[in-house]
Amino acid sequence: MGFEVTRFQGPVDEELVCPICTGVLEDPLQAPECEHVFCKSCITQWISRQPTCPVDRQSLTSAQLTQVPRILRNLLARLVISCDNAQYGCPRVLNLDTLSTHLEECEHNPKRPILCEQGCALVVPKDELKEHNCIKELRSLINKQQQKMNEYQHEFNELRFFIIEQRREMQLLKDFMRALKTSNPSMRAIADAMDREQQDREVVRWSSSLQRARVTRWGGMISTPDDSLQRMIKRTLTEMGCPSHILDDLMENCHECRWPPGLCSLETRQNNRRQYESYVCKRVPGKQAVLVLYCDNQHMGEEMMLEPGLVMIFAHGVE
């Protein structure tokens, strides 16, 4: 809908009036063929009922509407209009292009947010401040928050049930594979392959749940961590839900004695430092350590990667 003509100072050219609402154009759009101009909301609503120009009935769709020429926008911008809040006491008269900015700050706006100073510190519209009841509003806010908490709890319970079912199905599959190996030796190779595939999928799912990490100081790498540091990292990996079938291998791969050729000595690590930036690293929460899992780093060569992955511990430099 356009602006009421009576709000403007002086006469308004009829070219600046919307043929649909007969108000001064607001967010104007133009029909490409006949060049008739309308308020955006007016013409959009019109076309939703009948796809024609309201003036000459030529075929017209929303996709065909275009922006009006700059000269028309400039003419609209120079029009002088009274504030929307004139009836509430605002005396301002200003150019149309500055109206929206003024309305955001107008102190006469009955809907201007006001901070309640009676104790609740809630923000309420100015015209509702007299009827504002702190206790009632706080109680309503608490009820809404409680309702959200109940919804979150319901979603959590559903998710937990889903996870339990997934684990149950996974255990049934493992039991089936174990029974298949025992009862039919000829199927053992197939069962082993299926078992490995299932384990690989489990690692990929776990990896996708971990947060990416960035190493800023590769020189801070601890290539020979002591037993206490290894135990601390292993405990953290267990708490992170690391699949049990790769946990021990990962921890063995935290020492340079088990690292691939490109990392197994200080000299080779220095020669290959440029390749470090290609690693996809996952964060070990709360620790200056990262996981470099094989499933995330199959683009790395054998000299820089091994299965199921590496644990790299640092003195500093992990973000």
Side-chain angles (χ1 to χ4, degrees):
M1 295 293 290
F3 302 97
E4 294 181 16
V5 177
T6 55
R7 290 178 56 189
F8 291 85
Q9 304 293 309
V12 177
D13 192 294
E14 63 179 12
E15 296 296 327
L16 304 180
V17 175
C18 174
I20 300 176
C21 69
T22 67
V24 175
L25 293 164
E26 182 176 9
D27 296 330
L29 292 176
Q30 185 179 56
E33 297 295 332
C34 58
E35 298 186 348
H36 292 125
V37 181
F38 313 92
C39 298
K40 179 179 180 180
S41 60
C42 294
I43 190 60
T44 302
Q45 185 176 3
W46 177 282
I47 289 177
S48 67
R49 295 194 300 265
Q50 48 183 338
T52 60
C53 171
V55 179
D56 55 22
R57 304 302 178 181
Q58 291 190 45
S59 178
L60 180 64
T61 65
S62 296
Q64 295 174 318
L65 295 171
T66 62
Q67 296 295 323
V68 298
R70 178 181 297 179
I71 186 173
L72 184 57
R73 294 199 299 271
N74 291 340
L75 290 173
L76 285 168
R78 294 180 189 138
L79 292 177
V80 179
I81 187 173
S82 61
C83 175
D84 291 15
N85 303 313
Q87 58 180 314
Y88 301 109
C90 182
R92 289 291 301 276
V93 176
L94 58 164
N95 289 341
L96 184 58
D97 62 341
T98 62
L99 178 63
S100 59
T101 302
H102 166 72
L103 290 176
E104 293 177 359
E105 305 172 351
C106 180
E107 62 180 15
H108 297 278
N109 181 2
K111 295 299 181 182
R112 184 165 62 94
I114 299 292
L115 182 66
C116 174
E117 299 179 352
Q118 300 178 26
C120 69
L122 294 177
V123 176
V124 296
K126 181 180 177 180
D127 61 347
E128 298 179 15
L129 194 57
K130 290 183 180 180
E131 304 297 328
H132 175 67
N133 184 306
C134 294
I135 296 177
K136 180 180 178 181
E137 293 298 328
L138 287 173
R139 184 179 292 119
S140 175
L141 183 61
I142 292 173
N143 289 337
K144 289 179 181 178
Q145 293 299 322
Q146 185 62 51
Q147 183 177 358
K148 287 184 179 180
M149 288 297 295
N150 292 338
E151 292 175 357
Y152 293 151
Q153 184 65 44
H154 179 69
E155 293 177 2
F156 174 77
N157 290 337
E158 289 185 342
L159 181 59
R160 183 170 60 180
F161 176 77
F162 173 77
I163 293 174
I164 292 173
E165 286 297 303
Q166 289 291 310
R167 288 177 176 173
R168 186 181 65 82
E169 292 179 6
M170 188 177 298
Q171 187 59 48
L172 288 174
L173 180 59
K174 289 180 180 179
D175 293 342
F176 171 75
M177 299 303 297
R178 196 177 298 113
L180 186 61
K181 293 178 186 179
T182 304
S183 63
N184 191 347
S186 64
M187 294 293 292
R188 182 169 298 173
I190 297 176
D192 288 341
M194 293 177 65
D195 197 18
R196 286 194 299 271
E197 183 179 352
Q198 178 66 26
Q199 291 178 346
D200 290 343
R201 284 199 295 267
E202 185 180 355
V203 174
V204 171
R205 282 196 298 269
W206 180 63
S207 176
S208 65
S209 70
L210 304 180
Q211 183 180 0
R212 286 287 293 267
R214 186 169 74 93
V215 178
T216 59
R217 296 185 180 181
W218 289 97
M221 185 188 306
I222 301 174
S223 58
T224 57
D226 57 30
D227 291 343
S228 62
L229 186 54
Q230 292 187 45
R231 285 195 297 271
M232 180 178 64
I233 297 297
K234 184 174 183 179
R235 183 166 57 250
T236 302
L237 291 180
T238 302
E239 294 171 351
M240 291 167 57
C242 176
S244 57
H245 67 276
I246 66 168
L247 180 58
D248 290 338
D249 288 338
L250 282 177
M251 289 312 305
E252 289 184 9
N253 293 348
C254 75
H255 196 287
E256 67 175 12
C257 66
R258 285 290 301 268
W259 283 352
L263 300 174
C264 64
S265 69
L266 179 60
E267 181 181 359
T268 57
R269 288 196 292 275
Q270 290 176 338
N271 292 335
N272 292 314
R273 290 189 68 172
R274 291 187 177 181
Q275 298 193 49
Y276 293 160
E277 299 301 325
S278 298
Y279 277 135
V280 176
C281 302
K282 297 298 177 67
R283 185 70 185 268
V284 178
K287 303 293 185 292
Q288 287 291 308
V290 298
L291 290 169
V292 183
L293 295 170
Y294 179 80
C295 63
D296 297 326
N297 290 277
Q298 296 184 35
H299 58 284
M300 302 296 290
E302 293 182 359
E303 73 282 358
M304 298 294 291
M305 198 64 229
L306 75 167
E307 296 188 63
L310 307 171
V311 175
M312 291 184 174
I313 306 173
F314 296 81
H316 49 69
V318 176
E319 296 180 354

